[in-house]
């Protein structure tokens, strides 16, 4: 924890929520999209490999005349998660690119998505946000080709990203199999630290470093290890994304709660009450599908914590990442905590 950096504008005060915690609650979103189907286009030569049905991280189609190449498409944007505009841009870009990495792809082209209260915030701050996004995309080897902006009462930023992948080596959330270990490539606790930052102005360098770290190496390591199933951990929390993976794969995920890593200061933030409404909604949503056992209340909240630009949750062992559980045959719950 470091002292607050002096700033003329606190961006987080212009947002009703922060980062991925501002997402529509998962239970409500499921109701919205239920019954919607995406038909294969008649006569189309670009089959849809991954679409809406499993709630995966991105959509995937094969390219016309290129059955060995798949196109991965995603979009992600959110309200300010930190006060520093450059850091917010970096975090939002890393988060958007993560969806491509979570599918086993490589991002190649992004366009900016910017909403800005032009009468309330100066445009030099927006320039810093865009500069942060550009720097992270450049680090990822991904072109940024412009974008779209709107005048909005609340600032929002993110990217629509297109990537490529080998259609035979995708990381999907419906490909988990019993007997496979679960690895987590970034620690949890981003949501509660971000919420503490929003309320108090305290700056958490460990959280910023985690959120701006690309998931590129984790994705490459998962593919090299032969993994076929993964997702990233963002707004629905570790438990929420694990539930979606287990449900889509027809398995149960057993979690060793003592093996799950957390950022420094995360437990203290929960103890001191810096828990977002999004995190509490996540926990409420997954509760009917989770066997909590003797897991204490604070740990349950941390496992449901709404992450922003979190790590990859991989069905398989990833070098350097802790194994936090395993997949077993489907039982009465999709998630079991031990």
């Amino acid at each position: 924890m470091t002292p607050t950096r002096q700033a003329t504008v606190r961006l987080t005060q212009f947002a009703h929520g922060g980062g991925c915690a501002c997402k529509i609650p998962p239970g409500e979103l499921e109701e919205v999209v239920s019954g919607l189907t995406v038909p294969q286009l008649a006569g189309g030569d670009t089959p849809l490999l991954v679409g809406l049905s499993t709630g995966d991280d991105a959509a995937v189609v094969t390219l016309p005349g290129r059955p060995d190449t798949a196109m991965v498409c995603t979009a992600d944007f959110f309200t300010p998660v930190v006060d520093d505009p450059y850091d917010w841009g970096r975090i939002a870009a890393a988060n958007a690119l993560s969806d491509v990495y979570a599918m086993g792809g490589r991002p190649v082209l992004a366009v900016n998505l910017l909403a800005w209260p032009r009468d309330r915030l100066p445009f030099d701050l927006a320039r810093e946000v865009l500069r942060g996004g550009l720097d992270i995309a450049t680090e990822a080897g991904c072109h940024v080709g412009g974008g779209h902006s709107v005048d909005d009462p609340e600032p929002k930023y993110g990217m629509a990203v297109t990537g490529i992948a080998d259609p035979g080596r995708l990381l999907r959330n419906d490909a988990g199999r019993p007997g496979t270990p679960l690895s987590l490539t970034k620690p949890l606790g981003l949501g509660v630290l971000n919420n503490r930052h929003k309320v108090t102005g305290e700056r958490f360098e460990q959280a910023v470093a985690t959120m701006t770290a690309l998931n590129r190496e984790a994705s490459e390591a998962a593919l090299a290890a032969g993994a076929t199933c993964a997702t990233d951990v963002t707004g629905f929390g570790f438990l929420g994304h694990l539930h979606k993976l287990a449900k889509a794969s027809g398995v149960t995920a057993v979690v060793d709660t003592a093996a799950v890593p957390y950022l420094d200061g995360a437990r203290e933030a929960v103890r001191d009450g810096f828990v977002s409404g999004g995190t509490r909604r996540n926990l409420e949503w997954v509760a009917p599908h989770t066997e909590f056992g003797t897991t204490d209340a604070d740990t349950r909240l941390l496992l449901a914590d709404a992450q922003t630009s979190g790590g990859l949750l991989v069905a398989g062992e990833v070098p350097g990442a802790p194994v936090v559980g395993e997949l077993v045959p489907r039982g009465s719950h999709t998630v079991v905590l031990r």
Side-chain angles (χ1 to χ4, degrees), residues 240-304:
H241 289 284
L242 182 56
H243 160 65
K244 290 178 66 176
L245 183 153
K247 179 182 178 182
S249 297
V251 298
T252 288
V254 179
V255 178
D256 176 3
T257 56
V260 177
Y262 300 101
L263 287 164
D264 290 343
R267 283 199 174 273
E268 291 79 3
V270 173
R271 179 199 64 199
D272 295 339
F274 295 102
V275 179
S276 70
T279 291
R280 296 189 186 280
R281 288 189 294 269
N282 286 343
L283 187 57
E284 181 181 1
W285 173 57
V286 299
H289 313 288
T290 304
E291 181 184 312
F292 289 104
T294 60
T295 307
D296 64 85
D298 284 0
T299 299
R300 296 184 190 191
L301 286 168
L302 282 169
L303 291 172

Side-chain angles (χ1 to χ4, degrees), residues 2 4 39 46 60 98 114 130 207 209 230 232:
T2 61
T4 304
T46 56
V60 183
S98 179
L114 178 69
L130 294 171
D232 62 353

Side-chain angles (χ1 to χ4, degrees), residues 192-268:
V192 291
L193 291 179
N194 288 339
N195 202 38
R196 186 165 202 154
H197 170 68
K198 177 179 171 66
V199 174
T200 69
E202 296 170 272
R203 180 176 167 86
F204 299 93
E205 297 292 349
Q206 71 274 30
V208 173
T210 298
M211 291 185 286
T212 55
L214 294 173
N215 280 326
R216 174 177 53 196
E217 288 77 12
S219 177
E220 292 172 351
L223 290 172
T228 59
C229 177
T231 187
D232 62 353
V233 181
T234 54
F236 299 154
F238 172 83
L239 288 181
H241 289 284
L242 182 56
H243 160 65
K244 290 178 66 176
L245 183 153
K247 179 182 178 182
S249 297
V251 298
T252 288
V254 179
V255 178
D256 176 3
T257 56
V260 177
Y262 300 101
L263 287 164
D264 290 343
R267 283 199 174 273
E268 291 79 3

